[in-house]
Amino acid sequence: MGTRYNNILETVGHTPVVRINHLAPPGVNLYAKLEAFNPMGSIKDRLALGVIEDAERSGALKPGQTVIEATSGNTGIGLAMVCAQKGYPLVVTMAENFSVERRRMMRFLGAKVILTPASDKGSGMLAKAVELAESHGWFLCRQFENEANADFHSRTTAVEILDDFSDTRLDYWVTGFGTGGTLKGVARVLKEKSPETHIIVCEPDNSPLLGSHQPQPRSANGMPSASHPSFRPHLMQGWTPDFISKLTEDAANAELIDELRPIAGSDALQTSLDLARREGIFCGITAGATMAGGLQIARSAPPGTTILCMLPDTGERYLSTPLFAEIETEMTTEEIEISRSTPGYRFDKPTAPAPAPAAAPTPATIKATPQAEQFLADALQDKNNPVVMFALEWCEFCWSLRKLFKQCNIPYRSVDLDSAQYQQDNLGGSIRAALNAHTGCVTIPQIFVGGEFVGGCTEVFDEFKSGRFQQRLEDSSVSFDHDVSVDPYSLLPTWLHPRK
């Protein structure tokens, strides 16, 4: 971006407009505004920053107060970024059927994620957020009716679009609606500053809330009081909840919408895939749906028409959704044939291991020093840490054991032999040599409970499944969660699972 920023929040906005070259019909100027270039990968970063800063200015949000919001994911991720930078605790409510990548990202950023039943739909997660806010005195963002949402888009998104097309006529602006913030905030500016631009709003063809022209049941505060009667489940996560937001209704009532475009879920999926494979643009289902609407217009538009589509987020939010259902994790038949076209490094034909460099130290050539032997003796006799794991930082087996210990709340000491702590004079290598001499085992990890050698990863897993490991913990007065039920082998990385 060619400059230095004081914090991550200053990078929100100023997203690029990119020409669509291969999907667009000849003679039509089709563009996409790539909101995935926001720091957390979606257009909702704008909403999050706008709502929080407005609440700070008005005094509605106090220092240290907990922020709460209902979200399908992207708003929550944006809020998690903003709250992390500004120091606010964040709780989000989210229906359980939204993609797991989103909840994990929010938790990674420090947020608490409260799941609500899928059967309660979007209105259920919203009602839960209201319930929690009122009970605990938390600040509720109210993204679906908060004017700060639309105002931020008027100040940023709309201005960027006008600047990007200042030298040409913008004939169509295509968007979904979701919270309605982007729609209301941008459309009202375009109507004033670029009246020749037609505002096209897309929605799922099987869930036409706006297209039904049926009113949304609403409370006095603007929040929905019930699901919209025309709502049906659809593929476009974040696009249309089971209600028409107040901001969207405002835009419709102000006659900011020139045309509604129903979009089939299959078209949304295919267009997202086409954008990735023919344009190199990696985006989500909602972006594919919006571009599908833009392509519908482009196919019948006269030469010279200029169309801009809002692509709200990145495809990484959809790894566990139908968007990736046909994307293989293992090699396809074609990929296997490519692998077999040369002789080495194949699963169906073992490759002789390359010899280690002559000068490279190996466990067999490293001697156990008195310092290492004393370290090992002290570690195995440490009454404060009866569970000891001798490990390597990078080892997948070690990380699988760490996951088991964490799930069961088993306290343990990890001696990471390859860490910087043990590098001086190759202390880690010397400890490993002492360890090998003590157990007769050369592999890592090696686990001890109460000074007694258990074995490596699979030995611990087998003992855990039989209950023997839990008995060892009890014999050594190690407290842990007895109620955890897990197949420890499921904690291994998928590539370590036996091949079919």
Side-chain angles (χ1 to χ4, degrees):
M1 294 183 180
T3 189
R4 294 193 298 270
Y5 296 90
N6 293 315
N7 60 61
I8 190 65
L9 305 183
E10 292 184 358
T11 69
V12 173
H14 304 289
T15 54
V17 167
V18 175
R19 187 182 186 92
I20 303 301
N21 296 287
H22 302 294
L23 298 181
V28 174
N29 305 309
L30 182 59
Y31 293 91
K33 188 163 176 62
L34 304 184
E35 290 297 302
F37 276 69
N38 281 299
M40 286 296 105
S42 90
I43 196 169
K44 298 301 180 67
D45 292 358
R46 298 179 187 259
L47 179 164
L49 182 59
V51 166
I52 295 299
E53 289 189 338
D54 177 77
E56 289 176 327
R57 287 191 296 268
S58 70
L61 176 59
K62 306 297 189 295
Q65 186 179 7
T66 295
V67 175
I68 184 168
E69 182 59 320
T71 173
S72 62
N74 281 334
T75 295
I77 293 167
L79 283 170
M81 170 192 66
V82 175
C83 289
Q85 202 285 322
K86 289 179 172 286
Y88 297 106
L90 173 67
V91 176
V92 301
T93 58
M94 187 170 77
E96 63 179 333
N97 54 314
F98 293 119
S99 63
V100 296
E101 298 84 59
R102 303 177 185 213
R103 68 180 80 159
R104 296 184 75 182
M105 288 181 68
M106 288 184 279
R107 288 175 174 141
F108 190 87
L109 286 159
K112 299 291 188 294
V113 181
I114 310 304
L115 299 178
T116 58
S119 58
D120 292 335
K121 297 172 282 193
S123 54
M125 69 183 187
L126 179 57
K128 183 64 174 179
V130 172
E131 181 181 88
L132 287 169
E134 292 176 348
S135 176
H136 299 291
W138 296 341
F139 171 72
L140 180 62
C141 294
R142 299 183 184 274
Q143 60 174 319
F144 299 102
E145 57 270 355
N146 193 330
E147 287 296 330
N149 178 357
D151 290 345
F152 196 83
H153 283 289
S154 293
R155 296 196 307 271
T156 64
T157 318
V159 174
E160 293 168 26
I161 291 170
L162 291 172
D163 288 345
D164 288 335
F165 292 92
S166 61
D167 61 344
T168 189
R169 173 189 173 103
L170 177 60
D171 297 294
Y172 294 93
W173 180 65
V174 188
T175 185
F177 57 90
T179 70
T182 305
L183 171 60
K184 181 178 179 179
V186 174
R188 64 188 175 190
V189 174
L190 292 182
K191 285 296 183 184
E192 177 186 355
K193 303 293 186 182
S194 181
E196 68 277 9
T197 302
H198 287 73
I199 311 299
I200 310 298
V201 174
C202 301
E203 64 178 349
D205 65 348
N206 68 325
S207 186
L209 272 59
L210 290 175
S212 72
H213 303 292
Q214 296 185 63
Q216 168 65 50
R218 197 176 303 283
S219 301
N221 63 2
M223 299 182 70
S225 59
S227 292
H228 191 279
S230 293
F231 176 78
R232 299 292 183 275
H234 56 83
L235 288 169
M236 292 72 139
Q237 292 188 18
W239 227 27
T240 310
D242 65 308
F243 54 86
I244 299 173
S245 72
K246 180 64 166 59
L247 296 175
T248 300
E249 187 174 280
D250 290 345
N253 291 341
E255 299 182 346
L256 299 179
I257 302 171
D258 294 307
E259 182 184 343
L260 290 173
R261 285 264 170 173
I263 305 298
S266 58
D267 290 343
L269 295 174
Q270 186 59 51
T271 306
S272 180
L273 190 65
D274 290 343
L275 281 166
R277 294 183 173 179
R278 298 185 61 192
E279 299 287 346
I281 295 174
F282 187 46
C283 62
I285 302 174
T286 53
T290 308
M291 182 56 68
L295 286 167
Q296 288 179 5
I297 297 167
R299 293 184 187 112
S300 59
T305 298
T306 299
I307 305 166
L308 174 63
C309 299
M310 298 296 294
L311 304 195
D313 67 359
T314 169
E316 290 180 355
R317 304 288 150 83
Y318 300 85
L319 296 175
S320 61
T321 74
L323 183 60
F324 280 79
E326 303 301 321
I327 306 301
E328 299 287 347
T329 55
E330 300 296 332
M331 285 196 292
T332 64
T333 301
E334 183 179 4
E335 290 164 343
I336 291 172
E337 289 305 311
I338 294 173
S339 171
R340 290 173 174 170
S341 67
T342 58
Y345 311 101
R346 288 159 44 177
F347 292 108
D348 61 335
K349 183 180 180 182
T351 303
T362 65
T365 62
I366 299 171
K367 303 301 181 182
T369 63
Q371 179 187 8
E373 290 175 341
Q374 186 61 52
F375 179 96
L376 177 61
D378 291 343
L380 299 186
Q381 295 169 14
D382 184 358
K383 301 299 183 182
N384 294 322
N385 295 286
V387 181
V388 183
M389 176 168 69
F390 291 87
L392 299 172
E393 285 189 339
W394 56 266
C395 172
E396 290 87 352
F397 290 101
C398 297
W399 276 105
S400 299
L401 274 172
R402 294 183 209 276
K403 287 190 281 187
L404 176 64
F405 291 169
K406 183 176 181 179
Q407 286 198 23
C408 298
N409 292 317
I410 299 171
Y412 69 100
R413 178 187 179 186
S414 181
V415 180
D416 297 336
L417 299 171
D418 59 339
S419 66
Q421 181 180 357
Y422 301 106
Q423 285 183 1
Q424 187 172 357
D425 299 326
N426 198 18
L427 177 59
S430 297
I431 294 172
R432 185 168 182 179
L435 186 66
N436 295 348
H438 180 77
T439 64
C441 180
V442 297
T443 58
I444 293 291
Q446 294 190 32
I447 314 301
F448 293 80
V449 177
E452 184 177 352
F453 180 50
V454 179
C457 179
T458 57
E459 286 80 9
V460 171
F461 282 0
D462 289 341
E463 284 205 358
F464 184 87
K465 293 181 73 171
S466 70
R468 171 64 179 137
F469 190 73
Q470 294 89 322
Q471 186 61 55
R472 288 182 186 271
L473 297 175
E474 292 179 356
D475 292 345
S476 297
S477 300
V478 177
S479 62
F480 64 98
D481 190 344
H482 293 72
D483 297 327
V484 173
S485 177
V486 61
D487 178 2
Y489 282 95
S490 69
L491 303 176
L492 289 168
T494 54
W495 71 268
L496 286 172
H497 293 171
R499 266 181 195 279
K500 297 178 179 179

